[in-house]
């Protein structure tokens, strides 16, 4: 299985900050990488798909980049609603795998 | 708006069985690949199983292979997960998730989840 290493595990930030989360795959996954936001007790919400494509309805302060094995999620001008846990997800092949998650806290 | 609603989660003893359902609405269910993904309490996401639109192709995580069976009834717009020989480590919220987009390039909709607790 492809292993996804996500970092950091936790990031402390303030409203207005820029936050960067990285995800590294154990082998090349092309562009088949998604990012999700999850709040407590809720289902994951798709933010970015195919590494850099913004899902419809997601604010443009979220952006994704990367290809192959190294990927980044950037949240610009952090808003109060953005404090949550974020997961990367490779879907290049079954079985899918997810990063361990990054909690963005105040 | 796409709807995915899971049901069937319950408290079950180790070694027991359970069947989860996912009712889909407001999209052409039979044309979409579907998956089950689970999340143990306080933990991350773990993929469980995949099924093609026709139901002819299925995949499983090693952790559930031989114990879980994914299926679908396209006439009823429903996805299922038959879970046997349950273990404590199967305790989790189970989500159904749709592979969407023009070329199946994103996992765009998730249900709200159903909780399975395996405990004596």
């Amino acid at each position: 299985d492809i292993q996804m290493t996500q970092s950091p595990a936790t990031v402390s930030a303030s409203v207005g900050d820029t936050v960067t989360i990285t995800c590294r795959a154990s082998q090349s996954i092309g562009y088949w990488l998604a990012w999700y936001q999850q709040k407590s007790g809720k289902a994951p919400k798709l933010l970015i798909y195919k590494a850099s494509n913004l899902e419809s309805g997601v604010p443009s302060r979220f952006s994704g980049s990367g290809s192959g094995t190294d990927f980044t999620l950037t949240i610009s001008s952090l808003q109060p609603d953005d404090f949550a846990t974020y997961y990367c997800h490779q879907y290049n092949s079954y079985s899918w795998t997810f990063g361990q998650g990054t909690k963005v806290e105040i | 708006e796409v709807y995915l609603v899971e049901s069937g989660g319950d408290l079950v003893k180790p070694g027991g069985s359970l069947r989860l359902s996912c009712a889909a609405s407001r999209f052409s269910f039979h044309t979409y690949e579907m998956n089950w993904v689970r999340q143990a309490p306080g933990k991350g996401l773990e993929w469980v199983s995949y099924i093609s639109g026709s139901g002819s192709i299925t995949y499983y995580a090693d952790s559930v292979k031989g114990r879980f069976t994914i299926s679908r009834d396209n006439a009823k717009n429903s996805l299922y997960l038959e879970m046997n020989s349950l273990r404590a480590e199967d305790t989790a919220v189970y989500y159904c998730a749709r592979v969407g987009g023009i070329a199946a390039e994103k996992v765009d909709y998730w249900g709200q989840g159903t909780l399975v607790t395996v405990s004596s």
Side-chain angles (χ1 to χ4, degrees):
Chain A
D1 290 0
I2 299 172
Q3 306 304 314
M4 303 302 293
T5 303
Q6 185 176 340
S7 61
T10 306
V11 57
S12 297
S14 301
V15 172
D17 285 353
T18 294
V19 169
T20 300
I21 300 169
T22 64
C23 204
R24 173 165 287 176
S26 59
Q27 65 189 71
S28 177
I29 58 171
Y31 293 94
W32 297 103
L33 191 284
W35 291 97
Y36 301 91
Q37 177 193 70
Q38 188 179 36
K39 296 185 178 179
S40 182
K42 301 294 187 181
K45 174 189 174 184
L46 178 64
L47 301 174
I48 302 288
Y49 65 95
K50 284 194 77 177
S52 61
N53 292 271
L54 189 69
E55 174 65 350
S56 176
V58 175
S60 59
R61 63 180 180 273
F62 291 92
S63 64
S65 64
S67 66
T69 60
D70 293 302
F71 302 86
T72 300
L73 172 70
T74 301
I75 312 171
S76 303
S77 187
L78 201 66
Q79 297 300 299
D81 191 50
D82 301 338
F83 292 95
T85 300
Y86 295 83
Y87 292 95
C88 64
H89 165 215
Q90 74 80 16
Y91 53 113
N92 175 67
S93 62
Y94 285 97
S95 59
W96 290 350
T97 45
F98 295 84
Q100 301 92 327
T102 296
K103 184 176 181 180
V104 177
E105 60 182 22
I106 301 173
Chain B
E1 180 73 29
V2 166
Y3 281 100
L4 295 170
V5 180
E6 301 93 337
S7 61
D10 204 348
L11 171 63
V12 61
K13 288 182 169 52
S17 299
L18 209 55
R19 188 196 200 201
L20 306 184
S21 299
C22 171
S25 59
R26 304 194 182 188
F27 67 99
S28 299
F29 179 69
H30 70 283
T31 66
Y32 287 84
E33 302 167 2
M34 298 293 295
N35 288 264
W36 287 98
V37 176
R38 68 185 181 184
Q39 187 169 34
K43 302 297 185 182
L45 300 164
E46 179 189 16
W47 172 75
V48 173
S49 186
Y50 158 93
I51 190 166
S52 62
S54 66
S56 61
I57 300 172
T58 59
Y59 300 121
Y60 298 92
D62 288 344
S63 58
V64 307
K65 201 172 295 182
R67 300 188 299 123
F68 290 11
T69 302
I70 191 172
S71 63
R72 63 193 299 160
D73 185 336
N74 286 338
K76 295 183 177 180
N77 290 337
S78 292
L79 174 72
Y80 305 103
L81 186 68
E82 189 76 38
M83 309 164 68
N84 297 316
S85 303
L86 283 162
R87 306 166 179 168
E89 54 265 36
D90 295 319
T91 294
V93 173
Y94 285 73
Y95 297 101
C96 59
R98 185 186 89 161
V99 180
I102 297 171
E105 72 271 23
K106 57 183 177 177
V107 183
D108 54 359
Y109 285 95
W110 298 60
Q112 86 290 347
T114 188
L115 176 62
V116 173
T117 303
V118 184
S119 174
S120 55

